Amino acid sequence: MAKRITQETFDAVVKENMEDFDMEEEEAIEDAVKQFESQGVNLANIVRDLYTRQKVGGADNSVHQAIDAVKNISCELEKDVPDTDILSGELEKLKLECDIDLAHRCLAGTNGAYPALYSMVERYRSDNKMLVKCLQTLCSLCNGQPDLLDQNGVCLMMELLENKKADIECSTLIVRFIRYCCIMHESNRQAFVKVKLIPTLMDCLWEHRSCGDMVKEACILLRVLTFDDDVRVPFGQGHEHAKKIVTESAALRTIIEISQDYVSNTSVLGELFSTLGKLSVRDEFCQEIMDLGGLALILKSMEANIAHMSIVKQLLGVIKAVAGNDNVKVAIAKENGFELILGAMSKHMSQEKVCELGCAAIAAIILRQPKHCQRVMDANGAAVIIQAMNVHKKSDGVQQQACMALRNMVARTRDYCDQILALGAEDLINHARINFPKCEDTAKAALRDLGCKVELRELWKGEKPIMHS
């Protein structure tokens, strides 16, 4: 693990370079960076740009803007009647610093920015103008720093979200702040879920369904609650959270109904569909999405927006997710889903993620459905998959999903082996097997079912090893 240093240590070396070696500030910073990096120090949390220089008592002192802003906010809050103009100016200064990069946010965070802003939110919770400025700055500060949040902050934000439901701007900022605090932080996610975030968030989503920004923020937060991205915990509750969202808040019906209002707004529609995909964690949820008209809307949107790469990616992801249900697979095939998926792949063949998700969707829809394989072949699907493998030879994701799709094409019928092999599949699958360790098992399965020569290792025969004394 790379070593870390504090901002004070870095600043002291810069100051030493300037005073002892008569370096200019830019040169001193550059030299300090080289020194620490040569020692294997990770400087991701260190601010390297120039300080502001302020005269204090006749001395020339170096003060970082973020530290100065936090100090001024704290001092102003100690007054019986703080000057809101001064606070507004310092909030803006602190927000600008936090928006530069994570290092500036870390500097502010380690110098008391969170408790100062928490105090401001509490003090000005009834002043929407000031509250909005506080929330904007809090969002900038906690982006990438979820550890700053404490339990008091969880309770305060939930109370505000409940009380500010009618205010779109405040609600949107609160949802954004909670989202930043939940990314890569399992305990924060669980803390918010325990205090009934999910039903409150769904109420906000429905109440402000006409506001695209709020819809997007709410959808992103719903997805974040299903993440399992915190390496500090062995098991997350993402799957359980997804079930709660669906079963306790009628989320699928709500999202599909709201989607009807955004059929011409691909930006918002994409977020809604991506959220449906993340919530499709059980067979009955996939069935419910289809029963509510969600599948028909997804396929209709794919046809209408096939030229828009960003939403095509999101649509392919949700198609793959809902295809976990066998009834949905049949419905997708019946509604010309294969032709739409392959058409999207052909149109966006240079886009790695489209090809990866397209292959994954096809693999899911034809799994245990040999009748669907003929539809794929008739739509020139094998050739499109092989073309994707050729175009994206350096992408392990494309290679793995393509191998899976080809394997599923012939797993229950050998009718198409010769046609697929004639397209050059064997060499490409072997290329994936040799170059990408994650593809090895899938590639070998594809080669085996295509009738190619492949060495399958027997890892364990179910026998105890013989112990020698």
Side-chain angles (χ1 to χ4, degrees), residues 378-445:
D378 290 344
N380 205 31
V384 174
I385 294 169
I386 294 295
Q387 185 183 2
M389 295 183 78
N390 267 311
V391 172
H392 300 287
K393 283 188 174 181
K394 295 182 179 180
S395 169
D396 58 351
V398 173
Q399 299 298 317
Q400 184 180 38
Q401 296 303 329
C403 287
M404 181 67 74
L406 293 175
R407 185 261 173 188
N408 289 355
M409 289 277 290
V410 296
R412 299 200 175 199
T413 174
R414 298 294 189 266
D415 295 349
Y416 316 113
C417 290
D418 291 343
Q419 295 175 62
I420 293 172
L421 290 172
L423 295 168
E426 184 174 3
D427 287 344
L428 287 167
I429 296 171
N430 274 313
H431 168 84
R433 178 182 62 81
I434 293 167
N435 289 280
F436 303 111
K438 67 181 285 187
C439 294
E440 184 173 7
D441 290 344
T442 308
K444 283 185 174 181

Side-chain angles (χ1 to χ4, degrees), residues 223 269-279 314-315 318:
R223 296 203 301 275
L269 193 63
E271 298 295 348
L272 288 158
F273 284 151
S274 291
T275 308
L276 277 182
K278 279 292 184 182
L279 298 178
Q314 292 162 315
L315 287 164
V318 71

Side-chain angles (χ1 to χ4, degrees), residues 338-339 342-343 345-346 349 362 373-387 409 419 423:
F338 288 122
E339 290 77 6
L342 293 167
M345 289 176 64
S346 298
M349 184 57 69
I362 291 170
C373 299
Q374 182 64 55
R375 292 288 299 271
V376 176
M377 294 301 294
D378 290 344
N380 205 31
V384 174
I385 294 169
I386 294 295
Q387 185 183 2
M409 289 277 290
Q419 295 175 62
L423 295 168

